[in-house]
Amino acid sequence: MKFISTRDGNEAVSVSEAIQRGLAPDGGLYIPQKLPALAIGAFEGLESDREIAARLLEPFFVGDVLAGQLASICEDTYGFPVPLRDVGDSTKVLELFHGPTAAFKDVGAAFLAASLERLEANAEQPLTILVATSGDTGAAVAAAFDGRSGCEVMVLYPRGRVSKRQEKLLTCWGDNVTSLRVRGDFDDCQRMVKSAFADPWWRNNRRLSSANSINAGRLLPQMTYYASASLRIWRESGKKPDFVVPTGNAGNVLACLYAREMGLPIGRVVMATNENRPITQYLKTGEWKTFETKQTLASAMDVGDPSNFERVLYHWPDVDALRQQVSAVTVSDDTIRDTIRRGLEEWGQIWDPHTACAIVAREALESELAVVVSTAHPAKFPDIVEPLVEREVPIPEQMAEMMTRPKSVTEIESTLEAMMGIEKG
Ligand SMILES: *Cc1c(COP(=O)(O)O)cnc(C)c1O
């Protein structure tokens, strides 16, 4: 199986190359040349996420240097539970937040780290992974690479723009993770990373890679929980559930669309977005337009220019064809607040702001059986959630342990020179 760029379909690379490069040289995103088809029967007898992932991802790794290691990569990746909880007669919640940093990004980051560690096993010089983050991504990537040989991580986050708990999760790691608190905003962090990639010193003296959400190594493993959940429901009831997915950069929802395309028993797919509207506007008007990013309560979905959408547009270039695939709902901050406030009474649940968007979309959907995808634990956002539910939200165990670790961070100006000073020591 080869991967091609969304921009130039001629140069095909293996899945390992796509993972190592992150972005194609022409600036496009890597996509599988053709999505493999798998009959539901191909999963017979497979129960765990690990087994289902190994089967689901196998066709992508045929002929690849990692083919023989896929099963052990899946062993490493799917180490935490993904419960599918009943909340009411016709709704289930798929909890993707039981990983180390309590957000769904732990799954993709773990798979990426497990793959790169194996690819880098014999490299003479370590790979330096640069991550600019507004909160969740940097923590998930740091947790996934912590202590792995062959890879060093530099995390850049904006001073004063992440919550206390998020900052702790960005700064509690071992020697191969460098945490940089930047005197600037998220865009400054992103600019610094981009300029490092373009800078001769960095290019000549470091082997750089990125771990952001457009890396195929994060996209592919996200299909697994859609496969597992839909198979579980299909086996129990013969029903194809609809899925509602909190959406920002559209990586998570694309994994769901891929899983359905490959043959898994998935019904309709709905994207729940916050007030950042590029995707909902596109589905409404058929005209692709990016927006200034707007700050909302569901901050991990604050994306005005969702880079992953380039893949969606490649697969379904015609807007009417895309409307057959997926729909979208916009949710305002006021509605997010209201949904969290009535969560306990109406659903018996405390929702985080991202999952709350999906709950709103679920309530608007006529569905016999819908799976709401829950992307983060509410304890990650205590300042928003606790006043609304009028109680303390207990921290999950794995996160509580991290809160006790010592913090290691260096504060720097928002320039490439400052970053270089750290790197040269
Ligand atoms: C990143 C993130 C999202 C958005 O996922 P995309 O793949 O970018 O659409 C939603 N919820 C949480 C909690 C996240 O961290």
Side-chain angles (χ1 to χ4, degrees):
M1 158 81 67
K2 292 287 183 192
F3 281 67
I4 53 170
S5 164
T6 46
R7 300 201 184 159
D8 172 7
N10 289 318
E11 205 217 345
V13 301
S14 67
V15 66
S16 284
E17 285 172 278
I19 289 173
Q20 271 172 315
R21 289 188 189 176
L23 205 66
D26 61 9
L29 278 59
Y30 284 116
I31 46 166
Q33 207 157 25
K34 189 173 178 302
L35 276 181
L38 286 174
I40 293 176
F43 296 93
E44 212 172 294
L46 307 182
E47 298 281 345
S48 69
D49 280 355
R50 288 169 176 165
E51 295 169 310
I52 289 170
R55 183 72 194 89
L56 180 73
L57 300 178
E58 186 180 69
F60 297 94
F61 286 78
V62 170
D64 188 80
V65 293
L66 287 179
Q69 300 181 69
L70 180 60
S72 80
I73 292 171
C74 292
E75 284 283 311
D76 272 15
T77 303
Y78 301 96
F80 42 85
V82 181
L84 185 61
R85 240 182 253 298
D86 281 314
V87 285
D89 295 337
S90 59
T91 305
K92 291 174 188 283
V93 174
L94 185 64
E95 293 184 355
L96 301 179
F97 53 70
H98 296 278
T101 70
F104 86 94
K105 292 187 175 76
D106 283 325
V107 175
F111 189 89
L112 179 66
S115 303
L116 282 176
E117 183 182 44
R118 285 163 177 81
L119 289 169
E120 293 300 319
N122 298 312
E124 283 179 9
Q125 192 191 2
L127 199 63
T128 302
I129 294 152
L130 301 178
V131 206
T133 183
S134 56
D136 284 348
T137 300
V141 169
F145 283 90
D146 182 42
R148 287 192 190 259
S149 56
C151 303
E152 287 172 358
V153 178
M154 266 190 148
V155 181
L156 289 78
Y157 68 92
R159 179 175 79 168
R161 311 281 177 105
V162 301
S163 76
K164 277 209 171 61
R165 279 186 192 161
Q166 279 179 318
E167 180 154 30
K168 194 75 201 204
L169 292 175
L170 287 164
T171 56
C172 66
W173 306 105
D175 290 343
N176 70 326
V177 178
T178 305
S179 306
L180 300 176
R181 179 169 56 216
V182 174
R183 293 188 197 113
D185 59 17
F186 171 63
D187 292 323
D188 291 319
C189 298
Q190 218 164 11
R191 180 179 44 71
M192 289 161 72
V193 166
K194 278 192 188 149
S195 30
F197 272 93
D199 183 84
W201 184 86
W202 287 85
R203 282 220 305 251
N204 294 332
N205 293 284
R206 291 288 176 271
R207 291 175 55 232
L208 294 182
S209 184
S210 103
N212 62 18
S213 69
I214 53 182
N215 192 308
R218 287 182 54 183
L219 178 62
L220 296 175
Q222 289 170 8
M223 291 191 291
T224 300
Y225 39 78
Y226 294 109
S228 290
S230 64
L231 284 169
R232 217 177 306 169
I233 291 168
W234 178 259
R235 288 166 179 165
E236 279 167 14
S237 66
K239 285 183 186 161
K240 286 187 178 187
D242 300 322
F243 280 82
V244 187
V245 187
T247 297
N249 208 15
N252 202 4
V253 73
L254 181 59
C256 185
L257 297 176
Y258 274 6
R260 184 176 62 187
E261 197 76 11
M262 285 177 70
L264 285 145
I266 292 169
R268 284 168 297 165
V269 179
V270 180
M271 297 181 279
T273 75
N274 60 27
E275 283 188 310
N276 288 281
R277 296 170 186 270
I279 295 173
T280 36
Q281 277 298 313
Y282 175 66
L283 286 175
K284 201 176 280 176
T285 65
E287 197 187 331
W288 179 249
K289 215 169 77 163
T290 60
F291 289 73
E292 287 264 307
T293 299
K294 184 173 173 179
Q295 278 193 17
T296 76
L297 295 174
S299 54
M301 310 191 322
D302 288 349
V303 186
D305 181 3
S307 47
N308 230 323
F309 214 66
E310 184 164 331
R311 285 191 173 108
V312 175
L313 295 173
Y314 181 93
H315 291 297
W316 298 282
D318 178 66
V319 71
D320 283 322
L322 184 61
R323 286 175 184 137
Q324 301 294 314
Q325 292 288 325
V326 65
S327 59
V329 173
T330 294
V331 182
S332 71
D333 272 0
D334 282 345
T335 308
I336 290 175
R337 272 191 211 94
D338 175 57
T339 307
I340 296 172
R341 204 179 281 126
R342 59 188 177 75
L344 271 171
E345 194 176 323
E346 291 184 16
W347 293 93
Q349 300 287 320
I350 297 177
W351 307 120
D352 87 280
H354 309 83
T355 308
C357 293
I359 287 295
V360 175
R362 163 64 188 109
E363 289 170 338
L365 182 73
E366 271 191 41
S367 168
E368 235 182 277
L369 183 57
V371 176
V372 168
V373 175
S374 182
T375 48
H377 193 288
K380 270 196 119 165
F381 309 95
D383 302 345
I384 299 170
V385 174
E386 288 182 351
L388 292 168
V389 296
E390 296 176 352
R391 68 177 67 184
E392 211 177 302
V393 182
I395 302 190
E397 216 172 288
Q398 82 276 20
M399 236 171 90
E401 187 272 317
M402 287 174 203
M403 296 296 137
T404 66
R405 294 186 189 174
K407 207 161 118 174
S408 160
V409 58
T410 309
E411 187 168 306
I412 60 168
E413 291 297 332
S414 61
T415 62
L416 187 61
E417 289 69 37
M419 199 170 138
M420 192 128 78
I422 299 294
E423 189 62 3
K424 283 179 171 170

